[in-house]
Amino acid sequence: MHETQRLYLKNSMIRLISEFVTIRQLKQIHAHIRTSPILSETHRYFLTARLLFSCAISEPGSLLYATDIFQQIHKPNLFVYNVMIRAYASKSHSGHEASSSPSIVLYKQMLYDGIRPDSLTFPFLIKESSSRLDAHTGQAVYAHVLRFEFDGDIYIQNSMIGFYFECRLLGNARKMFDEMSRRDIVSWNSMVVGCLRNGELDLASDLFRKMEERNIYTWNSMITGFVQAGQAKEGLKFFQEMQMMSDQDIRPDKITISSILSACASLGAIDHGNWVHEYLKRNGLESDMVIGTALIDMYGKCGHVERAVEVFRQMPKKDVLAWTAMISVFALHGRAKEAFERDGHARVEAKPCDFRWAFVSLCACWFSRGRPLVF
């Protein structure tokens, strides 16, 4: 009878842990797990570990409370350590000094407790080293990867490629990639994105051409990378090539569209911009605020102010960026009166309070007097 009750309570606790939405609920569950006379110590440990995972990793969780739970666990196992290492590496820990690395501290404690890491331990240690741009610590972590013979793990290898690029160790990244016995699409994408972010556009293009498989992330990386590097025409060419790949079920998403509209704005390519706008209408994407703002910016920079106004009026919701874009279009074309009118409406509807509003209003004022701004 007791065993049946234990299993029922255990399953109920698992369900409650998976469904919690507030820390208060989680604390109530935790208190029940700790005090229930029905649960065995094995079940209690299992449920505490599950609760720790939800508290540390999930969106409504709390890293602070997860740390309290962790400190109460007697003899934490590998799963428990991995959860906390992942949590510290993934979540903001602004309370720690720049020289401090909580996940590394936990990793050292884990080794001291005689627990051997597995392939899930290292990617998060590498991730924290990347976020801190800590080349020394990241390379020390990889020394442990070699020591524990996980250097053939493709997930760890992909993490190291990203780490090397973040720390601007491009040669190391290329060496890691070239020596991989097996590569997946993440490996290729990591190389392409790393090259683009470090200004190696030719190398990125060369790698892109060698890829046997591409996904929307690959195409978006190439399009956005070239547009942001000031090569909008090349970005448009990649977009056109993507459209011709009828054998691959890859369709433009919001990131693609925003990048292409930015390219059209840079080049004054209104024909391409109109085509993208029609594509959006056919696919019901026009109401998105990010894309709507990009359309306003594109039409404004291409000299089609009324089309920009039309897009702006049709947007069901407008944030600070949308209002800023519309005011900027009027200011750019010397229509200061409309700019000031929009500015007034925006202050009522969007309640803007950042520096951009003062800057845009200043631009409108100067353009209205026929004076260029000099920086």
Side-chain angles (χ1 to χ4, degrees), residues 112-135:
Y112 181 80
D113 288 345
I115 298 174
R116 179 187 173 91
D118 63 6
S119 60
L120 298 178
T121 310
F122 293 108
F124 298 108
L125 297 173
I126 296 166
K127 177 179 180 179
E128 179 157 345
S129 300
S130 297
S131 66
R132 294 174 178 273
L133 302 178
D134 189 343

Side-chain angles (χ1 to χ4, degrees), residues 56 208 223 251 329:
F208 176 79
I223 293 167
R251 294 166 60 83
V329 169

Side-chain angles (χ1 to χ4, degrees), residues 4-167:
T4 303
Q5 287 179 316
R6 284 174 182 168
L7 287 174
Y8 177 78
L9 181 59
K10 176 189 172 184
N11 292 332
S12 298
M13 290 293 102
I14 292 172
R15 179 177 56 80
L16 289 172
I17 290 169
S18 66
E19 294 175 354
F20 92 97
V21 292
T22 67
I23 286 297
R24 182 180 179 183
Q25 291 175 339
L26 204 66
K27 288 181 177 180
Q28 290 173 340
I29 298 167
H30 188 203
H32 198 73
I33 292 171
R34 291 175 61 188
T35 58
S36 174
I38 299 175
L39 291 171
S40 67
E41 287 305 311
T42 301
H43 286 169
R44 203 184 311 279
Y45 192 101
F46 171 81
L47 288 171
T48 303
R50 287 289 295 266
L51 183 137
L52 176 73
F53 178 86
S54 294
C55 185
I57 305 301
S58 66
E59 189 63 33
S62 164
L63 184 54
L64 183 63
Y65 188 59
T67 301
D68 289 339
I69 297 171
F70 172 77
Q71 291 173 345
Q72 295 171 24
I73 296 177
H74 180 62
K75 293 184 178 181
N77 60 18
L78 176 60
F79 173 81
V80 169
Y81 270 112
N82 278 348
V83 167
M84 292 305 296
I85 288 170
R86 174 182 173 182
Y88 275 117
S90 302
K91 292 194 175 186
S92 171
H93 32 262
S94 56
H96 297 274
E97 297 178 5
S99 59
S100 171
S101 182
S103 64
I104 297 295
V105 172
L106 276 176
Y107 175 69
K108 290 178 179 178
Q109 182 182 331
M110 184 181 84
L111 294 178
Y112 181 80
D113 288 345
I115 298 174
R116 179 187 173 91
D118 63 6
S119 60
L120 298 178
T121 310
F122 293 108
F124 298 108
L125 297 173
I126 296 166
K127 177 179 180 179
E128 179 157 345
S129 300
S130 297
S131 66
R132 294 174 178 273
L133 302 178
D134 189 343
H136 176 75
T137 299
Q139 289 174 319
V141 169
Y142 190 64
H144 277 239
V145 170
L146 296 172
R147 172 185 167 187
F148 290 104
E149 300 181 340
F150 290 113
D151 50 305
D153 184 275
I154 192 170
Y155 190 47
I156 293 175
Q157 290 171 325
N158 289 340
S159 298
M160 284 303 298
I161 290 172
F163 159 75
Y164 283 134
F165 275 120
E166 286 294 325
C167 294

Side-chain angles (χ1 to χ4, degrees), residues 275-296:
W275 183 91
V276 172
H277 196 175
E278 289 303 315
Y279 175 87
L280 291 170
K281 289 178 179 178
R282 291 196 301 270
N283 290 273
L285 296 172
E286 192 178 355
S287 61
D288 178 81
M289 270 196 295
V290 174
I291 292 176
T293 302
L295 279 168
I296 292 167

Side-chain angles (χ1 to χ4, degrees), residues 223 235-245 250-253 256-261 263-265 268-286 291 295 298-299 302 304 307 311:
I223 293 167
L236 282 176
K237 286 181 181 178
F238 280 115
F239 176 66
Q240 291 167 342
E241 184 180 344
M242 183 181 110
Q243 291 295 97
M244 291 187 289
M245 292 292 182
I250 298 176
R251 294 166 60 83
D253 63 10
T256 322
I257 297 302
S258 296
S259 297
I260 291 303
L261 289 172
C264 294
I270 189 62
D271 290 339
H272 282 92
N274 283 332
W275 183 91
V276 172
H277 196 175
E278 289 303 315
Y279 175 87
L280 291 170
K281 289 178 179 178
R282 291 196 301 270
N283 290 273
L285 296 172
E286 192 178 355
I291 292 176
L295 279 168
M298 184 274 296
Y299 278 126
C302 290
H304 291 246
R307 292 296 302 275
V311 171

Side-chain angles (χ1 to χ4, degrees), residues 206-252:
D206 181 56
L207 288 164
F208 176 79
R209 296 300 169 200
K210 293 177 180 177
M211 293 180 71
E212 295 180 1
E213 179 188 1
R214 300 166 185 160
N215 57 18
I216 187 62
Y217 182 78
T218 316
W219 287 101
N220 282 347
S221 298
M222 292 301 292
I223 293 167
T224 304
F226 274 82
V227 171
Q228 291 180 348
Q231 298 194 28
K233 190 175 291 186
E234 292 300 314
L236 282 176
K237 286 181 181 178
F238 280 115
F239 176 66
Q240 291 167 342
E241 184 180 344
M242 183 181 110
Q243 291 295 97
M244 291 187 289
M245 292 292 182
S246 56
D247 57 324
Q248 299 181 19
D249 187 23
I250 298 176
R251 294 166 60 83

Side-chain angles (χ1 to χ4, degrees), residues 331-363:
L332 179 65
H333 292 278
R335 295 168 62 167
K337 182 179 178 182
E338 290 97 327
F340 286 127
E341 287 176 353
R342 295 286 172 185
D343 182 60
H345 287 300
R347 291 179 189 280
V348 173
E349 295 185 28
K351 295 183 175 62
C353 59
D354 61 34
F355 172 75
R356 283 169 296 193
W357 293 92
F359 177 75
V360 172
S361 296
L362 177 63
C363 288

